[in-house]
Amino acid sequence: MTSAPGGRRNFIAASAESVSFGVANHLTAAAVVLPFICVAFGGSAFAAALIFPIFTGATLLGAVLAPRVLGLRPVARSLALILALIAIVFAITAVGILVVSPDWLNALWIVAAIVGLLSGVASIAVVEVMSSALATSEKAALSVVQSTGGAILTLVITIVLGLFFLDPDGRDAHLALLWVGIVAMLVAALSLLRIRPAGDAPVIPQHSIGILDALKSRPDRKHPWVREFLITQVLFLSIALGTSFYSVHGATLHGQESEALHYIVAVTAVGSLLFTAVWTLSRRKATIRGLLLTAAALGVFAAVAALIADYSGAEALPILSGVVIVFAAAGGAATSSTRSTWMYHNLGTENDTEIIIFCQIVLGVTATAVGLGLSLLARLDTVLPAWVMLVLSAYALFHARRGPRVRILDIRPGHEHNNHGRHFGGFHW
């Protein structure tokens, strides 16, 4: 397939945006970076525990409001503005940590709420931008560029900073990573300004459905797959949120003996690369059920490694805690991929919009509640949290056998239509 006029420029700009955004996503991740900074700089553990659930709830709200917000101006410019605003919020946060009293750290949940709201809108906008500017083959290539390129560059940045410039256990290292993430976010925003819609791109009508209307429609009663999808995704929330959980729990139980922020970010990037490698090797034979089993197995491996780390001596902690985060990050990536693929397989009717919003609301509210529970659990100074995660992951592995045995390559191209771009991105936590 040949690209439309300007398609090559669009792909280069989109690749630069994707890699930069991938780096920024790792270095400014609200689920990991903000809680760690909150505790490291003297904030309360309870305030740190609130950050992720509030971020998740705000992301849900942003995704639902996205159609109305994005209808106000060209989507690419809207996305560039949103990324710039996220960078500004993090910049204000970084400055505030240095010049304001530690009490400011207990208000980082406000930062999480603002960033979550903007991220929810951005998650929808990025799908629409890429859908309108890239050919189908280029979209597939871009996903590999973002996951692989962003992870590799993140790994290089954290290693260079940790080995040559900064004390990895010091506060300056935490803020340095945050500033690098801010710069990467601005680069992503500037790259978006070079993207232009393809000349033959279809005009997407702006329409939306209210939250109450979506809830009243109860698509889970009309479409049996919706209920099974929601049950499975709820059971997999412990795996989807594993990276945040284990980073907080490791810091609580072992302190700086086990990991510093740059180390967590680095091994999270390694986990993303691990899943990318597994996916690349197996995608021709992979099924939705196989992806579910893979994600659950990685969750079990992470929990077992966490238990070994909790019971081991201090000498083995750095290596073991890294293994935990690698498995947790790979499991989270596999869960997100499964969520996307399962939705693509079943969508393709006039009721797509209300199905997507209904699923977003149910999963968003549930993830907020589960995230709060896991955040509080992770703060317990015992080995109990790791045992709980092992039980939850093992049950998810048992349940995964019920997943659809549909090969990924057999999913009809016709399912990739415009409605997905409007609401689907909000499922990526």
Side-chain angles (χ1 to χ4, degrees):
M1 178 182 294
T2 59
S3 299
R8 183 65 178 171
R9 181 188 65 185
N10 279 349
F11 183 73
I12 293 174
S15 297
E17 184 275 337
S18 293
V19 172
S20 300
F21 184 73
V23 172
N25 233 11
H26 281 293
L27 299 182
T28 63
V32 177
V33 175
L34 288 183
F36 197 100
I37 287 178
C38 181
V39 173
F41 282 76
S44 74
F46 180 73
L50 290 177
I51 289 174
F52 179 72
I54 289 176
F55 172 80
T56 303
T59 302
L60 164 69
L61 179 60
V64 173
L65 294 177
R68 302 180 188 276
V69 175
L70 297 177
L72 301 177
R73 57 187 299 158
V75 180
R77 294 186 178 276
S78 296
L79 181 56
L81 176 61
I82 290 168
L83 296 186
L85 288 175
I86 293 175
I88 291 171
V89 171
F90 275 116
I92 294 173
T93 302
V95 173
I97 290 173
L98 291 177
V99 301
V100 184
S101 67
D103 291 338
W104 149 251
L105 296 165
N106 295 329
L108 281 181
W109 62 268
I110 298 176
V111 175
I114 297 172
V115 172
L117 186 66
L118 293 172
S119 298
V121 179
S123 67
I124 307 302
V126 70
V127 180
E128 290 198 10
V129 170
M130 301 313 167
S131 296
S132 63
L134 300 177
T136 302
S137 59
E138 291 173 333
K139 296 173 196 172
L142 189 66
S143 64
V144 177
V145 170
Q146 179 174 12
S147 59
T148 306
I152 291 176
L153 189 54
T154 299
L155 194 57
V156 171
I157 290 171
T158 52
I159 290 175
V160 169
L161 287 178
L163 290 180
F164 299 106
F165 293 102
L166 301 169
D167 173 12
D169 294 333
R171 295 181 175 185
D172 55 345
H174 304 339
L175 289 182
L177 287 178
L178 193 60
W179 280 112
V180 173
I182 291 167
V183 172
M185 192 74 77
L186 291 174
V187 171
L190 292 174
S191 300
L192 281 165
L193 298 178
R194 294 180 53 83
I195 298 178
R196 297 290 183 271
D200 56 350
V203 177
I204 301 175
Q206 294 294 330
H207 67 279
S208 59
I209 181 173
I211 295 177
L212 293 179
D213 292 333
L215 291 175
K216 289 178 181 178
S217 68
R218 290 302 302 271
D220 57 317
R221 293 177 177 174
K222 305 173 189 176
H223 308 280
W225 72 267
V226 173
R227 179 171 297 181
E228 185 62 29
F229 169 81
L230 290 174
I231 291 174
T232 302
Q233 296 307 315
V234 169
L235 291 176
F236 272 72
L237 282 176
S238 61
I239 299 172
L241 310 180
T243 305
S244 174
F245 175 87
Y246 288 116
S247 62
V248 172
H249 177 60
T252 299
L253 201 60
H254 307 298
Q256 294 298 332
E257 295 175 358
S258 61
E259 53 206 346
L261 180 57
H262 85 290
Y263 185 63
I264 294 175
V265 173
V267 294
T268 300
V270 172
S272 298
L273 289 173
L274 172 63
F275 173 70
T276 300
V278 171
W279 170 246
T280 301
L281 293 174
S282 64
R283 69 179 186 276
R284 296 189 180 279
K285 297 182 179 180
T287 64
I288 296 176
R289 178 175 177 266
L291 279 177
L292 286 171
L293 289 169
T294 300
L298 288 167
V300 170
F301 293 157
V304 171
L307 282 171
I308 296 174
D310 289 351
Y311 284 115
S312 67
E315 296 80 8
L317 280 177
I319 295 177
L320 288 174
S321 61
V323 171
V324 173
I325 301 296
V326 166
F327 282 138
T335 301
S336 178
S337 179
T338 305
R339 188 183 305 123
S340 306
T341 306
W342 197 339
M343 290 292 287
Y344 278 131
H345 170 61
N346 288 284
L347 294 178
T349 70
E350 66 278 4
N351 296 323
D352 280 1
T353 302
E354 60 183 35
I355 290 175
I356 293 170
I357 293 181
F358 178 81
C359 290
Q360 278 187 321
I361 294 169
V362 172
L363 290 180
V365 171
T366 307
T368 302
V370 172
L372 178 59
L374 291 179
S375 295
L376 296 175
L377 179 67
R379 292 293 171 187
L380 296 181
D381 192 10
T382 69
V383 297
L384 177 63
W387 280 108
V388 172
M389 291 294 280
L390 178 59
V391 171
L392 293 176
S393 298
Y395 188 79
L397 181 62
F398 176 79
H399 181 84
R401 300 177 306 159
R402 300 172 55 179
R405 299 188 180 188
V406 179
R407 281 207 323 155
I408 307 302
L409 292 183
D410 292 338
I411 295 178
R412 298 194 304 273
H415 285 166
E416 299 179 299
H417 59 75
N418 295 330
N419 277 346
H420 296 171
R422 177 150 287 102
H423 301 287
F424 189 71
F427 283 113
H428 296 277
W429 292 307

